[in-house]
Amino acid sequence: MIVLLYGDLGTGKTTFTKGFIRSLLKDDSLSVTSPTFALVKVYDNDYKIYHADLYRLSDPEEIPYVGLFEDSEGIYLIEWPERLAYYIPDEYLEIKLYYNNEDMTKRDINIEAIGEKYKIFEEALK
């Protein structure tokens, strides 16, 4: 499963990821932090979850060295997927977070399946 998280700084990509990982692993106390400097953090339980933050990535040619998409059974949550450039996979779940225009303490979210494989997730999350 590949989830690409789009949004400006502070829109809640890491907060969304924290809730997703804690919920999936059924551990509300799990420490989930942004892997900004490490680029990828792995959570290994019943599921292997890869949380990537590509904000500091300056060149898409660095992607093969980050180790993304090597585990076909893994779940990938990727912040700043714009940095993937031509490495963006053919199918994924796209989540876009926006500041709410009327209340900046709230966020709007848009979920879209790219590819047939993710249509079921898109429907379940709406």
Side-chain angles (χ1 to χ4, degrees):
M1 176 179 210
I2 299 170
V3 179
L4 303 185
L5 295 156
Y6 292 88
D8 291 335
L9 280 172
T11 53
K13 296 178 297 296
T14 300
T15 300
F16 177 90
T17 300
K18 183 183 297 189
F20 186 97
I21 292 171
R22 285 179 173 176
S23 177
L24 197 58
L25 298 180
K26 296 175 179 51
D27 185 351
D28 288 338
S29 64
L30 182 66
S31 175
V32 178
T33 57
S34 178
T36 302
F37 296 103
L39 297 180
V40 178
K41 189 170 183 182
V42 181
Y43 299 88
D44 197 356
N45 200 326
D46 294 338
Y47 308 95
K48 198 168 228 182
I49 303 170
Y50 300 85
H51 177 197
D53 183 335
L54 304 181
Y55 184 75
R56 292 186 330 107
L57 208 64
S58 59
D59 185 345
E61 289 304 315
E62 297 174 62
I63 294 296
Y65 303 104
V66 173
L68 290 178
F69 313 128
E70 291 177 357
D71 180 358
S72 63
E73 301 295 316
I75 298 170
Y76 293 88
L77 297 156
I78 302 174
E79 298 181 41
W80 301 100
E82 301 90 334
R83 308 289 202 275
L84 287 170
Y86 42 83
Y87 285 104
I88 288 181
D90 293 334
E91 294 188 294
Y92 55 91
L93 190 65
E94 177 180 275
I95 297 178
K96 292 184 178 178
L97 299 160
Y98 305 94
Y99 287 105
N100 180 284
N101 290 332
E102 293 158 14
D103 184 348
M104 293 300 277
T105 65
K106 295 182 180 178
R107 303 295 183 263
D108 295 324
I109 187 169
N110 183 48
I111 300 169
E112 183 179 356
I114 308 301
E116 288 301 314
K117 177 179 173 181
Y118 290 94
K119 290 290 183 194
I120 191 168
F121 296 109
E122 177 183 30
E123 293 304 316
L125 292 170
K126 286 191 173 181

